[in-house]
Amino acid sequence: MHYKNTKIMLTGILLAAGMLTACDDNQSKGEAAVINGDPFPSTYQPVSSNATLIENVTILDGIGGRIEKGALLMQGGKIVSLGQNLIPTGDTTVVDGQGKWVTPGIIDVHSHLGVYPAPSTSSHSDGNEMTAPVTAQVWAEHSIWPQDPGFGRALAGGVTAMQILPGSANLVGGRGVTVKNMPNRVVQDMKFPGAPYGLKMACGENPKRVYGDKGGPGTRMGNVAGYRQAWADAQDYQRKWDLYYKDFAAGKEPQQPKRDLKLDTLAKVLKGEILVHMHCYRADDMGTMIDVMQEFDYKISVFHHAVESYKIADKLAAANVCSAMWADWWGFKMEAYDGIQENIPMVHAAKACAIVHSDSDLGIQRLNQEAAKAWANGRRAGLDISQADAWQWLSANPAKSLGIFEQTGSLESGKNADVVLWSADPFSTYAQAEHVYIDGALVYDRNNPASWPVSDFELGQPGEGDIK
Amino acid sequence: MKVLLSLIITCMLCSSVQAQNYAIVGATVHTMGPKGTLENATVLIQNDKIQAVLTGHTDLQGYNVINAQGKVITPGLIGAHTSLGLVEVSSSAGTVDSDVLPVNFSTVGAAVDVSFGINPDSSLMNISRIAGVTSAASSVTRSEQLFSGQGAMITLGDKTQAIIKPRAYMGVNMSNGGADNIGGSRALLWVALEQAISETEFVGSKGLSPAQQWHGELARADLRALWPVVNGDIPLIIDARRAADIRQVIAFKKRHPKLHIVLLEATEGWRVADELAANNIAVILDPESNLPYAFDQLGATLANAARLDKAGVMVVIGMGSHNIRLAKQHAGNAVANGLAWQRGLAALTINPATIYQIDALVGSLEAGKQADLVIWSGDPLEVTETAEQVFIEGQLLDMQSRQTKLRDRYLDLQQDRPMRYVRP
């Protein structure tokens, strides 16, 4: 898809790491100012793992392939191979998957775990910076509470990675962050290494409701004026930096522009380094945003909560914008009134990119069931999609939309071993994630209560270590 | 399936004014009554009632025969805690009859009576009924007063009058949410509830005339509404979540043994399961609620439904309005976490009928009961299976909704005219 960003991002990180002393505040003559592109670097460390072979199992590889009586070998945190008759070496743990299924780990592109954690007290309500309509300067990772018990619940549902986003009160809500579902003492411990940032934006009802009596925007047209002005400001900001570097290269002694954290983030979107994730329900709102995207030459990666994507699935395919959708939520506000149960398969059938997302600490625990409902409803409407293809909604398409598909999102040799062993066909209410592997490590084993994660918050409380 | 569909189409053309007799043959029928589950059974519908559920050869002369071989039939599902008919779009979209504001002629909110607000034309009605929900308990969901008022039992049939039973139950919130509304503390919340009960008992069944002197706290309309509660005629649905609150509810019932109490949520009910069973208190719960959203829900677990059922507590499942159709998925997840399958189905059918005292009418497939039933494509608790045909009061429903029409309009995006002219 559209991922120039990953490499640029990585280069930026290396460059910045080597030049930390040359940061903007104390540049020495002779060196241009360098902005550290990764001031909160990932400190993620995979849990150590043994080589594991799961055999005799139905495999959905996440990119449309299905293997009956298959086997999957993981070693050194990576997928080594999958096929039908793999021979384990000496110290390989062998798991008999008779009657069970293996899929890539589920990736949720829309979570508020940690920023709206449980317990949902006002002291924990850190997901919406409702102080101005454009707050591109805020980063969701600075709100994440790694002790949210919700992470462990999502793990038991087979979720191995997710994007945590700011809320949708603002036109531009701030940066989202992609994390491994492996929280530890500080948030950096779970940041997905090499993942580009997301930028949360919002169409429609929410911003105009929140700001209607706080100076605006108060209408949809006000919303659109707000996005466009923000991009115009970002262009202007980028031109100042470009000029600065150009002048510097030409041997002049230019004044370094003042850093603006809000415009920094927006300018990175215009450069393709940050992926836009835009909350947008209505078909006409999405249509408008596709034009705004073309006007300012940036990329909207995904429309989230896109309940009306089925009305413009062809246009979304042409614009190469994904839709992240619920299976059947509808009616809680006007822009959700036309939600239908066949939205996801209809988007898929139009050859547009479909993603199943949660936006919910409950929904994230059974995204496989959401996909199953959509898949079954699609078939009844005559959209004959295989289960193997439908699994793209849960892993590959989310990974592509987050810019991490080179690392995860499908079962291909060399990729991170982010894998779920399901007790049965995962397109069933009764199927449960039995084993969840992240980077090849068994981090959840339903049959071994001692393996279940317990957050600090839950220690010493009623129900500690219980079935969750 | 083809036979079924063609029959349905035929019958739709042949009118819905006249009552029809139907014989649905060949399905696995979960009666949820004394007959249990019957394989390859025949369900006979005469006018609006179940005439019989039987196996073996039957004379089908005079019946419209529907072949349901390979299908599963259950009673229609009953929404246990909804605002169906009271809400169309919840937020920023005009009047929502399930949200009430305090008024001075009802000091504690007991007088609220949703039977005046039920709208059978709400789109939620046919969206839910074609998914197999045939009746529901409907009440206010947002209130700042002690009681959320009197709820109604409604049918989702395509009718001009949806009420099965008005003023069928009373709601009160004794969890954190209730305390937040009433004095900020359980130390006041419970005093307010006891005061309401004792004033109602004092005034009695006749209520007060406008001319009578009265220096109590409750308004006259509230006293009238609460009498059937204190007299045990209708259930009091109490929202309580932590074990300590549930024990308070049990103690409350011991102080007022006439009350017919049903718990709502009961997140930590599993910790008090034996006492709930011993005191015959049923529970309406959300089996998927497994997070400590507040300090009164720390013990939330997916095993709650199964543990309560095992202890002998009657479990009822089905909360929501726009998506009450997902109650079957909720029950399925309770089953995935240990509840017996039949108990999961009971939690959607006969159990809610029993707690709301409409089990003589609906909730199971027994001769003489209202013919509310669903022909499912397979196991209804499976997310991939669906209601293929729904009957309410013996009427074969049109299985369309505005959602199916939106789908059908947009299935083919290549049109030579604007979409608003496309009428699927």
Side-chain angles (χ1 to χ4, degrees):
Chain A
M1 293 173 70
H2 32 89
Y3 301 105
K4 47 184 177 180
N5 40 43
T6 308
K7 275 183 189 150
I8 293 175
M9 182 88 191
L10 283 173
T11 330
I13 290 164
L14 294 174
L15 193 66
M19 301 181 74
L20 273 176
T21 50
C23 69
D24 47 346
D25 292 333
N26 57 1
Q27 56 178 309
S28 57
K29 208 173 173 181
E31 281 181 283
V34 173
I35 293 172
N36 180 0
D38 190 24
F40 308 94
S42 170
T43 50
Y44 170 74
Q45 291 293 328
V47 175
S48 65
S49 60
N50 199 20
T52 304
L53 176 72
I54 306 174
E55 59 182 12
N56 205 15
V57 74
T58 302
I59 299 176
L60 302 181
D61 67 9
I63 48 172
R66 173 172 173 151
I67 305 172
E68 302 294 347
K69 295 196 188 310
L72 174 83
L73 179 62
M74 304 177 262
Q75 193 166 20
K78 304 292 179 196
I79 291 163
V80 176
S81 54
L82 57 168
Q84 272 179 321
N85 291 304
L86 304 182
I87 310 299
T89 54
D91 62 345
T92 302
T93 305
V94 178
V95 178
D96 180 14
Q98 172 70 40
K100 299 173 185 176
W101 291 48
V102 159
T103 69
I106 293 172
I107 300 169
D108 189 1
V109 296
H110 196 116
S111 174
H112 299 298
L113 288 178
V115 301
Y116 282 120
S120 52
T121 58
S122 58
S123 11
H124 275 165
S125 176
D126 288 320
N128 261 315
E129 182 60 31
M130 285 189 279
T131 51
V134 178
T135 58
Q137 69 276 18
V138 306
W139 300 23
E141 66 200 71
H142 301 148
S143 280
I144 293 171
W145 183 48
Q147 299 300 340
D148 185 349
F151 290 115
R153 308 293 193 274
L155 188 68
V159 174
T160 52
M162 71 192 82
Q163 176 175 233
I164 297 171
L165 290 164
S168 53
N170 299 351
L171 300 176
V172 180
R175 288 198 196 193
V177 63
T178 298
V179 299
K180 301 262 189 181
N181 191 7
M182 205 35 26
N184 202 349
R185 293 179 296 166
V186 296
V187 70
Q188 292 92 326
D189 292 342
M190 69 189 305
K191 285 181 72 175
F192 198 109
Y197 278 100
L199 181 68
K200 176 69 179 291
M201 295 181 65
C203 292
E205 287 186 31
N206 289 8
K208 80 189 193 82
R209 186 184 65 244
V210 172
Y211 294 99
D213 55 6
K214 290 207 290 190
T219 59
R220 278 183 160 78
M221 58 188 173
N223 287 354
V224 175
Y227 315 125
R228 297 177 73 219
Q229 189 60 56
W231 296 129
D233 291 347
Q235 286 175 327
D236 184 58
Y237 179 72
Q238 187 58 46
R239 276 193 293 270
K240 285 180 182 153
W241 277 95
D242 290 346
L243 181 63
Y244 162 75
Y245 285 119
K246 188 179 163 204
D247 285 351
F248 196 95
K252 299 180 189 171
E253 289 186 15
Q255 176 76 25
Q256 181 194 326
K258 180 177 186 295
R259 268 189 82 187
D260 181 315
L261 295 179
K262 177 167 84 176
L263 296 173
D264 259 3
T265 291
L266 293 173
K268 279 192 159 71
V269 171
L270 297 180
K271 286 192 279 187
E273 295 173 28
I274 292 179
L275 308 174
V276 171
H277 290 263
M278 189 155 201
H279 156 127
C280 219
Y281 286 74
R282 251 168 46 182
D284 53 308
D285 282 342
M286 290 188 261
T288 299
M289 290 317 302
I290 288 171
D291 274 354
V292 172
M293 158 180 123
Q294 283 158 1
E295 179 188 11
F296 290 94
D297 191 26
Y298 69 101
K299 176 75 196 152
I300 298 173
S301 185
V302 185
F303 286 125
H304 290 235
H305 318 334
V307 300
E308 289 191 8
S309 279
Y310 68 95
K311 297 184 181 180
I312 53 162
D314 52 346
K315 295 178 193 289
L316 291 164
N320 192 24
V321 180
C322 294
S323 301
M325 298 161 281
W326 298 291
D328 43 28
W329 289 19
W330 74 282
F332 40 92
K333 49 182 171 169
M334 282 308 297
E335 60 192 7
Y337 194 51
D338 285 1
I340 66 170
Q341 292 176 293
E342 296 81 6
N343 192 25
I344 293 163
M346 283 168 76
V347 168
H348 177 102
K351 298 189 164 35
C353 158
I355 292 171
V356 176
H357 76 344
S358 79
D359 188 25
S360 157
D361 50 14
L362 294 180
I364 196 173
Q365 300 181 40
R366 44 191 71 84
L367 284 167
N368 60 309
Q369 293 180 23
E370 298 304 294
K373 287 186 286 185
W375 170 77
N377 284 315
R379 285 169 77 88
R380 284 189 281 269
L383 306 172
D384 194 12
I385 300 164
S386 71
Q387 287 175 311
D389 276 334
W391 200 274
Q392 294 175 86
W393 309 337
L394 294 168
S395 303
N397 289 350
K400 289 174 185 173
S401 80
L402 295 172
I404 55 173
F405 189 58
E406 284 180 21
Q407 297 100 307
T408 188
S410 63
L411 303 181
E412 295 179 89
S413 88
K415 279 198 169 181
N416 294 350
D418 298 337
V419 175
V420 183
L421 173 68
W422 299 91
S423 60
D425 175 356
F427 289 66
S428 164
T429 319
Y430 309 120
Q432 291 180 312
E434 203 166 287
H435 285 181
V436 182
Y437 299 86
I438 295 181
D439 289 307
L442 180 58
V443 290
Y444 178 81
D445 179 353
R446 186 169 297 272
N447 300 317
N448 175 16
S451 81
W452 301 347
V454 176
S455 84
D456 289 358
F457 178 74
E458 298 175 286
L459 279 180
Q461 302 274 25
E464 172 192 339
D466 196 3
I467 294 165
K468 294 293 184 183
Chain B
M1 184 59 210
K2 274 190 180 141
V3 177
L4 179 71
L5 279 179
S6 61
L7 270 166
I8 287 162
I9 290 160
T10 317
C11 291
M12 302 248 315
L13 294 174
C14 69
S15 102
S16 58
V17 182
Q18 265 191 319
Q20 303 267 344
N21 296 340
Y22 293 99
I24 311 171
V25 300
T28 298
V29 180
H30 300 284
T31 67
M32 307 317 287
K35 286 195 172 179
T37 295
L38 303 176
E39 300 291 341
N40 196 14
T42 298
V43 180
L44 298 180
I45 298 173
Q46 190 171 46
N47 299 322
D48 58 339
K49 300 275 197 298
I50 304 284
Q51 186 187 5
V53 184
L54 29 85
T55 51
H57 183 73
T58 314
D59 181 9
L60 301 179
Q61 185 83 35
Y63 293 89
N64 294 298
V65 177
I66 296 178
N67 179 0
Q69 237 153 14
K71 310 292 180 189
V72 173
I73 294 178
T74 71
L77 310 186
I78 301 172
H81 185 67
T82 82
S83 292
L84 289 174
L86 299 170
V87 57
E88 189 64 32
V89 171
S90 328
S91 160
S92 306
T95 306
V96 175
D97 288 303
S98 57
D99 297 354
V100 292
L101 302 170
V103 289
N104 58 15
F105 65 86
S106 169
T107 47
V108 294
V112 168
D113 182 352
V114 299
S115 64
F116 297 110
I118 301 291
N119 175 20
D121 289 331
S122 159
S123 71
L124 283 76
M125 293 288 211
N126 78 343
I127 286 168
S128 303
R129 72 174 170 245
I130 67 170
V133 181
T134 56
S135 54
S138 184
S139 62
V140 159
T141 39
R142 195 172 301 165
S143 162
E144 289 168 14
Q145 288 183 288
L146 177 61
F147 295 98
S148 56
Q150 303 164 94
M153 300 310 296
I154 62 169
T155 174
L156 276 66
D158 190 6
K159 294 190 169 302
T160 51
Q161 173 53 269
I163 306 285
I164 297 174
K165 189 177 179 189
R167 299 172 290 283
Y169 60 99
M170 178 71 66
V172 65
N173 186 346
M174 304 307 283
S175 73
N176 274 2
D180 292 346
N181 284 333
I182 308 298
S185 164
R186 288 167 175 81
L188 286 168
L189 177 67
W190 276 97
V191 174
L193 179 61
E194 285 290 0
Q195 178 76 13
I197 298 299
S198 70
E199 288 190 10
T200 306
E201 284 170 341
F202 176 81
V203 170
S205 63
K206 289 182 181 163
L208 295 167
S209 78
Q212 261 174 293
Q213 284 235 0
W214 170 245
H215 301 291
E217 299 299 327
L218 268 63
R220 285 155 213 268
D222 292 324
L223 290 164
R224 264 197 306 280
L226 281 172
W227 174 252
V229 176
V230 301
N231 202 41
D233 299 332
I234 64 171
L236 178 63
I237 313 290
I238 304 183
D239 183 332
R241 304 180 183 202
R242 70 185 188 197
D245 288 346
I246 295 170
R247 290 196 184 97
Q248 287 293 344
V249 171
I250 293 168
F252 175 69
K253 179 160 185 186
K254 286 180 176 162
R255 291 196 297 275
H256 307 281
K258 264 182 113 174
L259 293 185
H260 172 192
I261 288 171
V262 172
L263 274 178
L264 180 66
E265 300 284 355
T267 317
E268 292 188 355
W270 61 275
R271 297 178 64 201
V272 201
D274 291 337
E275 292 118 284
L276 286 171
N279 286 279
N280 200 22
I281 296 177
V283 167
I284 305 168
L285 55 75
D286 174 358
E288 296 180 359
S289 185
N290 67 341
L291 279 160
Y293 289 118
F295 284 98
D296 66 352
Q297 302 164 60
L298 294 174
T301 167
L302 294 175
N304 197 25
R307 290 175 185 168
L308 285 164
D309 177 78
K310 194 175 172 202
V313 178
M314 180 180 283
V315 171
V316 177
I317 294 170
M319 298 189 204
S321 293
H322 289 86
N323 266 343
I324 189 60
R325 60 189 175 183
L326 300 186
K328 75 186 194 76
Q329 185 186 1
H330 300 166
N333 278 293
V335 171
N337 287 284
L339 186 66
W341 188 91
Q342 285 281 350
R343 313 292 270 190
L345 185 57
L348 301 169
T349 54
I350 188 64
N351 291 358
T354 302
I355 62 164
Y356 288 115
Q357 303 165 320
I358 55 168
D359 51 317
L361 199 64
V362 295
S364 63
L365 302 177
E366 295 178 63
K369 282 201 182 184
Q370 191 166 302
D372 288 8
L373 65 84
V374 186
I375 305 174
W376 303 93
S377 57
D379 173 0
L381 307 190
E382 260 297 0
V383 279
T384 50
E385 305 294 350
T386 195
E388 289 186 345
Q389 184 57 54
V390 180
F391 288 81
I392 299 183
E393 286 190 64
Q395 286 208 342
L396 180 141
L397 295 185
D398 174 5
M399 294 295 286
Q400 291 191 90
S401 68
R402 72 180 294 277
Q403 292 192 352
T404 66
K405 289 186 175 191
L406 280 164
R407 173 196 67 202
D408 292 343
R409 166 172 281 177
Y410 285 96
L411 264 175
D412 180 3
L413 295 173
Q414 303 309 310
Q415 302 289 341
D416 58 2
R417 60 215 153 124
M419 282 296 187
R420 58 176 51 205
Y421 295 98
V422 178
R423 298 281 289 269

